[in-house]
């Protein structure tokens, strides 16, 4: 779940400290600074009072492996699936096709329901907000959120509507296997 990653950057001011909770494209979510391996010369550029130093350092990065099993809490449910949080990372989605089947979305209560079949009949097992859930990581997606200049067509329309903000790093999970799903489903009695 956590890996050490070597990063080389030119930093100024408290930029190194502010890198925590930053997503590095195709690397993962930076959790904390592990150590600094090398500092190069510092420079002060004309018109800029800050010193700029090339720094080589290692960060502890959250980047789960595909097929890794994680435990989180249900943040909410919507027709697009179950949204899960790990406490420090919230961009996890369990889409409807990855839930225990047969599953249905209860519009009135805004929860997903697993219709568990037994010899005595069907039992509805609800996926309520705040419940702990065990899931398998099946996919990840990085979106480059670097700032870009507007094109001439976008510049005219952007004053009227704000673009939807995308998460720079998202995970897709699955609970469609025995032992996965709410922890309360699998407790021995």
């Amino acid at each position: 779940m956590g890996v050490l990653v070597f990063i080389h950057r030119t930093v100024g001011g408290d930029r190194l400290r502010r890198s925590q909770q930053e997503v590095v494209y195709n690397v993962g979510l930076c959790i904390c600074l592990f150590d600094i391996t090398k500092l190069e010369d510092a420079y002060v550029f004309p018109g800029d009072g800050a010193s700029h130093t090339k720094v080589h350092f290692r960060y502890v990065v959250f980047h789960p492996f595909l097929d890794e099993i994680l435990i989180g809490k249900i943040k909410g449910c919507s027709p697009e699936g179950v949204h899960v949080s790990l406490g420090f990372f919230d961009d996890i989605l369990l889409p409807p096709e990855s839930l225990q089947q047969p599953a249905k979305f209860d519009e009135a209560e805004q929860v997903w329901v697993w219709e568990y079949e037994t010899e005595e009949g069907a039992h509805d097992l609800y996926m309520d907000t705040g419940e702990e859930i065990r899931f398998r990581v099946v996919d990840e997606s990085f979106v480059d959120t670097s700032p870009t200049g507007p094109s001439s067509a976008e510049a005219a329309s952007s004053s009227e509507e704000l673009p939807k903000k995308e998460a720079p790093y998202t995970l897709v999970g699955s609970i469609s296997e025995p032992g996965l799903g709410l922890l309360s489903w699998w407790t021995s009695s």
Side-chain angles (χ1 to χ4, degrees):
M1 181 158 74
V3 293
L4 276 180
V5 176
F6 284 97
I7 298 176
H8 311 278
R9 265 200 190 145
T10 301
V11 296
D14 66 344
R15 174 78 173 115
L16 196 59
R17 189 170 20 132
R18 288 184 291 133
S19 292
Q20 294 179 23
Q21 299 296 315
E22 172 187 347
V23 172
V24 177
Y25 187 69
N26 284 339
V27 174
L29 174 69
C30 293
I31 302 296
C32 68
L33 178 67
F34 184 74
D35 65 358
I36 296 175
T37 57
K38 183 179 177 184
L39 287 173
E40 295 184 8
D41 293 333
Y43 298 97
V44 177
F45 297 109
D48 186 2
S51 68
H52 299 271
T53 308
K54 185 155 188 174
V55 181
H56 302 252
F57 51 92
R58 292 188 295 178
Y59 249 99
V60 176
V61 173
F62 170 70
H63 186 175
F65 302 107
L66 292 180
D67 291 329
E68 185 169 348
I69 305 291
L70 299 175
I71 296 176
K73 284 194 174 188
I74 295 177
K75 188 174 138 184
C77 295
S78 70
E80 67 182 16
V82 178
H83 302 274
V84 178
S85 172
L86 297 176
F88 62 92
F89 184 74
D90 292 340
D91 297 315
I92 303 169
L93 177 67
L94 310 177
E97 62 274 7
S98 297
L99 302 177
Q100 295 278 4
Q101 297 299 324
K104 67 178 180 182
F105 184 67
D106 185 337
E107 289 283 343
E109 295 194 36
Q110 292 292 302
V111 295
W112 278 93
V113 181
W114 177 24
E115 297 172 322
Y116 181 66
E117 292 289 332
T118 64
E119 296 168 357
E120 301 153 3
H123 294 280
D124 288 345
L125 299 175
Y126 290 84
M127 298 180 212
D128 293 320
T129 301
E131 291 283 335
E132 287 191 318
I133 188 167
R134 181 181 295 119
F135 63 95
R136 179 182 303 279
V137 177
V138 294
D139 195 16
E140 66 181 358
S141 139
F142 286 92
V143 174
D144 188 5
T145 58
S146 302
T148 58
S151 66
S152 58
E154 291 175 355
S157 66
S158 67
S159 60
E160 298 161 5
E161 58 187 56
L162 294 173
K164 184 182 176 202
K165 196 171 187 181
E166 281 191 85
Y169 181 46
T170 57
L171 295 176
V172 176
S174 172
I175 61 167
S176 63
E177 304 169 41
L180 299 181
L182 270 60
L183 298 185
S184 61
W185 294 349
W186 304 106
T187 57
S188 57
S189 38

